[in-house]
Amino acid sequence: MNTNFAKWLGRLAMAGVAFGLGVPAATAADRPSSWPRKSVTIVVPFSPGGSTDQIARLFSARLAEKLGQPFVVVNRPGAGTIVGMQEVVRARPDGYTLLLAVSTVSTQPALYPNLPYDVKRDLVPVSLLGKIPLLIYTNPAFPAHTLGELIEQARKPGADITYASPGAASTAGLTGELFNEKVKTAIRHIPYNSGSPAMTDVMGGNVDLLWGTAAQGLEQYRAKRLNAVAISSERRSLSFPEVPTFREQGVDLVAEEWFGLMAPKGTPPEIVARISQAASEIVKGGSFGGDYNYFEFIGSDPASFGAYMDAQAALWTGLIHRLGLKVK
């Protein structure tokens, strides 16, 4: 055999081992054991400045410290989180693109009949980072100062009490409807496009109540521009120690907005486990400071996060179907 031809066959054989059927061989940088070797992007499907963005930036800094590479927050707002989520669904599943997922993950499938993705098919849970409770805030001039008084007012014949929320499909808006269902009231929902105008109208006396997060109303509550009659967490909040929970006041209602990390389907399990472990260690390390007392930090494993999302989806899907809600 011609010597040059033999060498060419040898090189071709080696190439076949490395490339298979035209697929490049994994480099050291591609192996899960080498992750992370460059910066990691966390996509936030909201504009900067809100509680979701807060959580993302807090954890991105701590993850960078723990894992030795930058974790960069990128805001991709639009279409009720669909824009940002779709970007992550389309990303390469290599551990370098993550989603800061929020409660809407549990409600979207029931509200949007034509989603361009399927959460369970296209994303994997990584870690439940934390929860933030909701409160019923009232204008200080509103005659009810406790939950019992509010329910009594709402049940009076001809009562027309209104509540504002950041949107019909928001967790706050849906929790207001869940409350109505549980206590047999018909407090009228006035959905807004965001939390700020909703809160402004309640403080201005144009709407009676606000269903909002602990983060959203804390400053105005402390300034006595808003009252609060109940908080939706299992225990009282360090930020609102004098506000009793719904359960303390005889209403079995626990509902929170939640925040967690998800990754594109196909992300290596070793990488998912490493991020989850790092998040858990960050939470166990504590010391987030008093500015974050209204958050309940968790840091779960992927399986627990997945089970939690399933339970949340069952809760809200049932309510949405009973109300006949749809977002076109």
Side-chain angles (χ1 to χ4, degrees):
M1 182 184 293
N2 181 283
T3 304
N4 290 334
F5 182 67
K7 288 180 179 179
W8 179 81
L9 281 177
R11 286 196 297 269
L12 184 63
M14 291 180 67
V17 170
F19 290 93
L21 295 175
V23 179
T27 65
D30 291 325
R31 294 172 191 151
S33 59
S34 300
W35 183 94
R37 293 176 62 93
K38 60 182 181 179
S39 65
V40 179
T41 297
I42 299 179
V43 175
V44 175
F46 292 96
S47 301
S51 53
T52 309
D53 193 58
Q54 262 188 318
I55 283 279
R57 294 181 190 280
L58 178 66
F59 271 90
S60 66
R62 300 295 177 89
L63 286 167
E65 291 172 7
K66 185 163 284 290
L67 296 173
Q69 291 290 348
F71 278 68
V72 181
V73 173
V74 176
N75 297 90
R76 293 285 187 266
T81 75
I82 292 174
V83 171
M85 291 181 67
Q86 196 166 12
E87 180 170 323
V88 177
V89 165
R90 292 171 173 170
R92 186 179 178 189
D94 56 6
Y96 291 100
T97 303
L98 303 174
L99 172 71
L100 199 289
V102 295
S103 312
T104 52
V105 166
S106 301
T107 59
Q108 276 186 344
L111 287 168
Y112 296 86
N114 299 308
L115 279 176
Y117 50 79
D118 182 302
V119 172
K120 291 184 74 69
R121 181 194 66 209
D122 298 328
L123 294 165
V124 294
V126 177
S127 180
L128 176 61
L129 300 181
K131 305 174 187 176
I132 183 169
L134 299 156
L135 293 95
I136 296 181
Y137 298 99
T138 67
N139 183 292
F142 188 72
H145 299 286
T146 67
L147 188 63
E149 290 174 353
L150 169 59
I151 294 170
E152 183 181 355
Q153 290 275 345
R155 287 176 175 170
K156 287 181 178 179
D160 185 22
I161 298 173
T162 54
Y163 80 89
S165 84
S170 67
T171 303
L174 290 171
T175 304
E177 296 300 336
L178 182 63
F179 174 73
N180 271 335
E181 188 177 77
K182 284 182 174 290
V183 300
K184 306 295 189 290
T185 54
I187 301 173
R188 188 159 51 91
H189 187 191
I190 301 178
Y192 287 71
N193 290 327
S194 65
S196 293
M199 184 165 61
T200 298
D201 270 6
V202 173
M203 290 191 295
N206 299 317
V207 186
D208 298 311
L209 316 173
L210 169 69
W211 274 93
T213 67
Q216 180 185 354
L218 179 59
E219 182 180 340
Q220 305 300 339
Y221 172 77
R222 286 176 173 170
K224 302 189 183 304
R225 289 188 283 268
L226 287 174
N227 291 334
V229 299
I231 190 166
S232 68
S233 47
E234 293 186 2
R235 296 171 295 279
R236 293 198 187 195
S237 167
L238 292 173
S239 295
F240 298 84
E242 56 286 297
V243 179
T245 67
F246 283 88
R247 282 181 172 172
E248 283 182 82
Q249 300 179 83
V251 178
D252 186 18
L253 188 153
V254 174
E256 298 131 325
E257 291 195 356
W258 56 260
F259 310 84
L261 289 174
M262 301 188 78
K265 188 79 169 183
T267 300
E270 302 95 322
I271 293 177
V272 170
R274 190 164 183 206
I275 301 169
S276 171
Q277 181 180 353
S280 296
E281 290 172 356
I282 288 167
V283 171
K284 287 175 184 175
S287 180
F288 289 101
D291 290 344
Y292 301 100
N293 277 342
Y294 42 73
F295 286 114
E296 178 191 355
F297 293 104
I298 297 171
S300 75
D301 61 83
S304 298
F305 185 21
Y308 175 77
M309 283 194 292
D310 287 344
Q312 288 290 292
L315 168 67
W316 297 119
T317 297
L319 178 69
I320 289 164
H321 287 166
R322 290 194 298 275
L323 294 174
L325 294 179
K326 278 285 182 292
V327 179
K328 295 181 181 179

